[in-house]
Amino acid sequence: MKTIKGPALFIAQFADDNAPFNSLKSISEWASSIGYKAIQIPSWDSRFIDLQKAAEDLAYAEEIKSTVENAGLQISELSTHLQGQLVAVNPAYNELFDAFAPEELKGDLKGKSAWATQQLMYAAKASKNLGLTAHATFSGALMWHTVYPWPQRPAGLVEAGFEELAKRWLPILDEFDKNGVDLCYELHPGEDLHDGVTFEMFLEKVDHHPRANILYDPSHFLLQCLDYVEFIDFYHDRIKMFHVKDAEFNPTGKQGVYGGYQSWINRAGRFRSLGDGQVDFNAIFSKLSQYDFDGWAVLEWECAIKHPEAGAIEGAKFISEKIIRVTEKTFDDFASAGTDEALNKKILGI
């Protein structure tokens, strides 16, 4: 067994124009000072990284790496969540996702998809240049507006949707394979890949591509009322990344999974700081350790109540205490009789 690495911090939610959250150097030093050992970098934020330059300039990639290491940290992974979203966008969401793309591509559905695809290609090379082996992203969504089938979905719609999604992602997956990096989809409501079944449908369409993997985040599964612990039993071979994020689901006689169009603070299901929600992290860390998860435990802070800095400080301690130092021994080794082939045969009566 392997001991999970961590704690690490996804810095996207902490980015700000004010110090220490406005540069890679200062946010790295802050993260290190509160107990983190690594950071996950959002590749769309130019305050922290120029993704294209990291893909094309080895010296620049080394500079990024050194900046983080000089603060006493490592880079756990890069993220292209926003760019990945744009690989596949249904026209109904065209304008809503304009903010994720360059200004000149506003309203240009095909242009945004082409730009996003190139961004993912850069991410594969940048990850390799930084010595990383896994990368975080979203799948995008062509079918999400039909997730609750009313009116009834036309026959063949889902199959066509997954075929198109696979068509867009296969060249990207091949590029990640070429660079020796696992592409990990965060299974998330709003994405066509949002649970185990949808991931399997996609996997079939990409011919079980070895680089098509999972960023495991139990918070999204709890809010879907999915068994997030058994999920690990099913998909542990494909889980290459781990977001440690808490959530709670408290349905009432007025509101359930869909939230009644309420703000996060007023929803039955909402994200919480670590330890303030309902996710059973003892079971999760045990299960991932059992299956030799060889990655980082990365805090993704999203809480409707607690201040982010408080969540980050508490989160580092929380993750450190949950990480299991795995054993190299069996508890009853003290009673071992050693190896004796003759004795074994005698016991068996042979």
Side-chain angles (χ1 to χ4, degrees):
M1 294 186 292
K2 297 174 183 175
T3 297
I4 296 171
K5 294 176 284 189
L9 178 69
F10 186 27
I11 60 174
Q13 285 85 1
F14 297 89
D16 194 277
D17 288 332
N18 299 313
F21 309 109
N22 58 351
S23 75
L24 185 62
K25 180 178 183 294
S26 59
I27 202 168
S28 296
E29 291 170 347
W30 169 76
S32 180
S33 73
I34 59 174
Y36 288 95
K37 297 181 180 179
I39 56 170
Q40 188 177 97
I41 301 177
S43 67
W44 60 85
D45 197 322
S46 60
R47 289 170 292 197
F48 303 138
I49 192 170
D50 181 324
L51 183 61
Q52 180 176 353
K53 193 172 181 181
E56 298 176 341
D57 187 340
L58 274 170
Y60 174 74
E62 282 299 319
E63 180 184 330
I64 291 292
K65 192 175 177 182
S66 294
T67 297
V68 175
E69 289 177 347
N70 287 341
L73 302 176
Q74 299 179 53
I75 302 172
S76 62
E77 303 93 4
L78 299 181
S79 155
T80 53
H81 281 83
L82 302 194
Q83 301 99 311
Q85 182 76 62
L86 298 184
V87 170
V89 175
N90 185 281
Y93 298 94
N94 189 6
E95 288 75 21
L96 290 173
F97 284 125
D98 273 344
F100 290 6
E103 181 74 23
E104 63 271 18
L105 294 176
K106 287 187 179 298
D108 183 354
L109 201 62
K110 290 184 178 179
K112 282 185 287 197
S113 180
W115 173 82
T117 299
Q118 182 59 67
Q119 286 282 298
L120 268 293
M121 299 296 191
Y122 289 144
K125 294 177 181 176
S127 294
K128 179 183 179 181
N129 288 345
L130 290 166
L132 307 176
T133 58
H135 180 79
T137 199
F138 278 149
S139 68
L142 300 173
M143 299 171 283
W144 182 252
H145 64 303
T146 72
V147 69
Y148 196 85
W150 180 255
Q152 186 181 51
R153 284 189 291 257
L157 178 75
V158 172
E159 291 75 11
F162 276 105
E163 285 172 6
E164 178 63 26
L165 198 66
K167 178 182 175 182
R168 298 188 189 195
W169 279 103
L170 265 171
I172 299 170
L173 287 164
D174 287 343
E175 183 67 17
F176 272 84
D177 192 34
K178 177 181 172 183
N179 286 279
V181 180
D182 288 318
L183 185 57
C184 303
Y185 297 99
E186 182 172 357
L187 306 184
H188 188 292
E191 311 301 317
D192 282 340
L193 307 191
H194 55 270
D195 59 12
V197 173
T198 52
F199 179 72
E200 287 181 14
M201 294 171 76
F202 176 72
L203 205 56
E204 182 179 350
K205 295 298 183 183
V206 295
D207 196 24
H208 297 268
H209 200 292
R211 296 299 177 180
N213 290 293
I214 295 170
L215 190 174
Y216 175 76
D217 184 335
S219 68
H220 302 301
F221 297 154
L222 183 141
L223 298 186
Q224 294 181 66
C225 303
L226 183 155
D227 188 333
Y228 54 84
V229 177
E230 188 180 34
F231 180 95
I232 301 171
D233 289 322
F234 289 136
Y235 303 109
H236 57 88
D237 287 342
R238 293 278 178 172
I239 295 173
K240 305 295 183 181
M241 291 179 61
F242 176 23
H243 269 176
V244 189
K245 191 169 75 177
D246 212 343
E248 62 183 358
F249 181 54
N250 300 303
T252 69
K254 291 186 175 183
Q255 182 193 127
V257 172
Y258 301 110
Y261 296 116
Q262 299 303 294
S263 63
W264 277 113
I265 192 69
N266 293 318
R267 288 175 63 92
R270 57 190 184 182
F271 301 124
R272 297 300 309 275
S273 283
L274 291 184
D276 294 342
Q278 298 166 348
V279 174
D280 185 352
F281 286 106
N282 286 333
I284 289 170
F285 276 85
S286 293
K287 190 73 74 172
L288 288 173
S289 296
Q290 172 187 335
Y291 286 120
D292 283 338
F293 174 68
D294 190 24
W296 288 90
V298 182
L299 170 67
E300 182 181 25
W301 176 89
E302 293 179 354
C303 184
I305 297 175
K306 187 168 288 183
H307 191 280
E309 290 182 52
I313 292 168
E314 293 173 9
K317 184 174 184 291
F318 184 94
I319 293 173
S320 295
E321 291 176 348
K322 295 299 179 186
I323 290 175
I324 299 168
R325 180 186 175 188
V326 298
T327 181
E328 298 173 354
K329 298 182 178 182
T330 303
F331 69 90
D332 57 357
D333 279 349
F334 73 93
S336 173
T339 302
D340 187 329
E341 186 176 351
L343 176 61
N344 288 344
K345 290 181 177 180
K346 185 176 181 179
I347 293 171
L348 294 170
I350 57 177

